[in-house]
Amino acid sequence: MAKVKTSFFCQSCGSQYSKWQGQCNACKEWNTIVEEIIQKEEKAAWKAETSEVKKASKPLLVKEIDSTQEIRMDTCDGELNRVLGGGIVPGSLILLGGEPGIGKSTLLLQISLKLPYKTLYVSGEESQKQIKMRAERITTNGDNCYILTETKTQNIFRQIQEIEPEIVIIDSIQTLHTDYIESSPGSISQIRETTAELIKFAKETNVPVILIGHITKDGSIAGPKILEHMVDTVLQFEGDRNHVYRILRSLKNRFGSTAELGIYEMQGSGLREVSNPSEILISHKNEELSGTAIASTLEGMRPLMIEIQALVSTAVYGTPQRSTTGYNAKRLNMILAVLEKRAGFRLGAKDVFLNITGGISVDDPAIDLAVVAAILSSNEDIPINKDFCFAGEVGLSGEIRPVNRVDQRIQEAEKLGFSTIYVSKYNKISLKNTGIKIQLVAKIEDVASELFG
């Protein structure tokens, strides 16, 4: 019998050490290094039962490589297709991460129930009855979906060979374990080994595998960082459990862009695709209120109209508060300094609170102008016309800087019924005969005089 070999792994970043030590040299975390058994049998976990001899690959010139477009599998979900770049690539490995209870299992279950392909949904966290109850709530379909509750990879592969699915979904990778590693499920060794077995299976059979992964308290995917390097696509499912809206982002994608995002609404019957995000990001109210401005932003190729809310009040305590939700707090401080220095607004002794509605976070500098308008509106207590919107970056000298793809922003504002959009006069606008009035501004003072006279 082979001698049992052990090694020491950091549970935070996955770094390996020959002996125990108190602090990890890689991530600088304390007391995260534990001993794990790494000895395994000389036996392959996945072995395709075929008599064909696999030919060794040979080098080819770039011009000799077949460049035909990769065929993708339609997920019957427009938002997921957009984030993946058009659908699932056969033989790819997709990792979906997100906070507990955010809706990862619900998203993949409802997709597996709608797919026209034979799907095997493997759950190591819920029983078949629990999944059945959720499936009945989501849809009455599911003719192509098989449910398996198993955590041992050898048993999973045995069922895969019997059923021969076209897509495999694993919920979750942290619950799986293999007989060839003697450490507990969820450990660095088990996650790395079970993922390697699934990659080998996916590449040899051309069957795509979707993994659900847990996340740590700081929001990164749990397990070794090598897990994200091993897979082809890493998706992040975000949102506040107190809000009904969820955002699906791509953090890594070998087959498409990482700039796209999908938006869902959590309902009792599952997740609903939101094709027009502006409907959820703009409040529908009859009366005009001060401190509210609409910004035109872009997420990937998708234009969004979002609502910025600001509240400026006299500081009750000695030190004024600066609080933001969904916006960079340091950028807010910079904009307040520009307003005080360049435009003469005395905001140094006032509390400023800023919120982006809908529970989303935006880092597009083009919303700076809307932030300025919302702050000045609250400070002056004068509402902004609800048919006005803004797209411009604010510089340190108080100038309104041009933003990219301004034509697309203007077209989205016009489509949603806005009458006027404020943009930088330095933008090159190619649109002709638009139904929306394009107001060109050069400095913050121009915006303040236009809006508040």
Side-chain angles (χ1 to χ4, degrees):
M1 187 171 179
K3 183 181 177 182
V4 176
K5 294 181 181 179
T6 63
S7 189
F8 294 85
F9 293 91
C10 172
Q11 300 298 298
S12 178
C13 69
S15 300
Q16 184 176 356
Y17 298 93
S18 59
K19 61 180 181 180
W20 185 87
Q21 59 189 57
Q23 186 185 31
C24 175
N25 296 334
C27 64
K28 306 302 179 186
E29 292 287 333
W30 288 91
N31 299 322
T32 58
I33 297 175
V34 298
E35 184 178 15
E36 293 184 8
I37 300 171
I38 61 171
Q39 176 65 39
K40 67 175 182 176
E41 300 176 31
E42 293 298 323
K43 183 179 177 183
W46 164 257
K47 185 177 181 181
E49 295 182 355
T50 176
S51 58
E52 296 180 9
V53 178
K54 188 178 179 182
K55 295 181 180 179
S57 59
K58 63 177 182 178
L60 294 173
L61 290 171
V62 173
K63 63 182 180 181
E64 296 176 345
I65 300 173
D66 184 14
S67 61
T68 54
Q69 187 69 31
E70 183 72 62
I71 298 172
R72 293 178 182 262
M73 305 170 74
D74 183 13
T75 64
C76 301
D77 186 302
E79 299 296 298
L80 181 60
N81 282 344
R82 176 190 287 109
V83 175
L84 291 175
I88 299 175
V89 176
S92 64
L93 224 79
I94 300 168
L95 177 63
L96 174 65
E99 292 185 0
I102 205 71
K104 304 183 295 296
S105 300
T106 302
L107 175 65
L108 292 187
L109 180 60
Q110 76 177 38
I111 288 170
S112 63
L113 293 171
K114 291 191 296 183
L115 282 171
Y117 311 101
K118 188 187 289 186
T119 307
L120 178 61
Y121 186 96
V122 182
S123 176
E125 299 182 338
E126 295 177 295
S127 67
Q128 290 175 319
K129 289 184 178 179
Q130 286 177 294
I131 298 171
K132 169 69 172 175
M133 289 168 59
R134 182 186 296 160
E136 287 178 340
R137 193 179 74 242
I138 293 172
T139 180
T140 56
N141 298 331
D143 299 334
N144 298 316
C145 182
Y146 292 84
I147 305 296
L148 173 65
T149 54
E150 183 59 66
T151 58
K152 191 170 166 183
T153 55
Q154 285 73 31
N155 295 341
I156 293 171
F157 288 133
R158 196 175 299 119
Q159 296 299 325
I160 285 174
Q161 287 179 334
E162 289 184 12
I163 298 173
E164 297 183 350
E166 296 172 88
I167 294 179
V168 176
I169 297 174
I170 306 291
D171 181 11
S172 66
I173 188 62
Q174 275 81 9
T175 63
L176 296 193
H177 68 94
T178 176
D179 282 344
Y180 310 135
I181 294 287
E182 296 184 15
S183 55
S184 60
S187 63
I188 301 293
S189 303
Q190 286 286 7
I191 292 175
R192 186 161 48 197
E193 186 65 24
T194 52
T195 305
E197 292 176 6
L198 290 166
I199 288 175
K200 188 171 185 289
F201 158 73
K203 301 306 178 187
E204 288 186 4
T205 62
N206 219 28
V207 173
V209 178
I210 304 176
L211 310 175
I212 291 180
H214 299 166
I215 65 168
T216 60
K217 60 183 179 181
D218 62 350
S220 60
I221 294 175
K225 198 68 179 174
I226 193 173
L227 176 63
E228 296 179 47
H229 293 289
M230 292 167 75
V231 301
D232 298 307
T233 305
V234 179
L235 304 179
Q236 186 86 5
F237 207 36
E238 303 172 354
D240 189 341
R241 279 183 291 178
N242 298 321
H243 289 83
V244 296
Y245 304 115
R246 306 284 188 268
I247 295 176
L248 183 67
R249 297 181 188 272
S250 176
L251 305 182
K252 169 191 174 182
N253 192 353
R254 289 176 179 160
F255 310 109
S257 170
T258 57
E260 295 294 348
L261 88 165
I263 300 180
Y264 295 88
E265 180 183 3
M266 179 62 83
Q267 297 180 337
S269 58
L271 290 157
R272 180 183 73 89
E273 302 171 48
V274 178
S275 56
N276 180 18
S278 301
E279 73 182 55
I280 67 170
L281 301 174
I282 299 177
S283 302
H284 301 284
K285 50 186 181 294
N286 296 323
E287 69 280 3
E288 293 184 347
L289 303 172
S290 64
T292 299
I294 307 298
S296 178
T297 184
L298 289 172
E299 282 283 355
M301 299 299 293
R302 167 183 275 188
L304 302 176
M305 307 300 291
I306 60 174
E307 183 177 321
I308 311 290
Q309 294 179 332
L311 176 63
V312 179
S313 62
T314 305
V316 179
Y317 306 103
T319 306
Q321 298 182 67
R322 305 282 189 260
S323 177
T324 64
T325 303
Y327 188 72
N328 191 321
K330 291 183 178 179
R331 194 162 187 86
L332 173 63
N333 289 332
M334 182 201 80
I335 288 176
L336 293 175
V338 171
L339 284 172
E340 186 136 354
K341 176 75 174 178
R342 304 295 181 187
F345 291 96
R346 299 288 172 243
L347 302 172
K350 294 186 177 181
D351 294 335
V352 179
F353 303 94
L354 194 74
N355 175 49
I356 297 179
T357 60
I360 69 168
S361 297
V362 179
D363 54 6
D364 183 4
I367 69 172
D368 287 352
L369 189 56
V371 170
V372 167
I375 291 171
L376 296 183
S377 171
S378 179
N379 186 54
E380 302 291 330
D381 201 21
I382 299 175
I384 298 172
N385 191 320
K386 62 182 180 181
D387 294 330
F388 290 1
C389 61
F390 305 84
E393 181 182 353
V394 175
L396 289 178
S397 59
E399 82 278 17
I400 309 301
R401 298 174 56 82
V403 295
N404 63 336
R405 294 178 21 215
V406 67
D407 292 348
Q408 196 174 351
R409 300 173 194 265
I410 294 171
Q411 287 173 338
E412 178 71 7
E414 183 180 2
K415 186 175 75 173
L416 293 175
F418 289 92
S419 63
T420 305
I421 183 169
Y422 285 78
V423 298
S424 170
K425 68 179 291 187
Y426 307 110
N427 260 120
K428 295 179 180 178
I429 301 170
S430 58
L431 294 175
K432 304 293 183 183
N433 302 322
T434 58
I436 186 173
K437 181 182 178 183
I438 302 172
Q439 191 74 32
L440 302 177
V441 289
K443 294 183 178 180
I444 288 179
E445 299 94 298
D446 300 342
V447 181
S449 60
E450 285 275 354
L451 294 175
F452 311 111

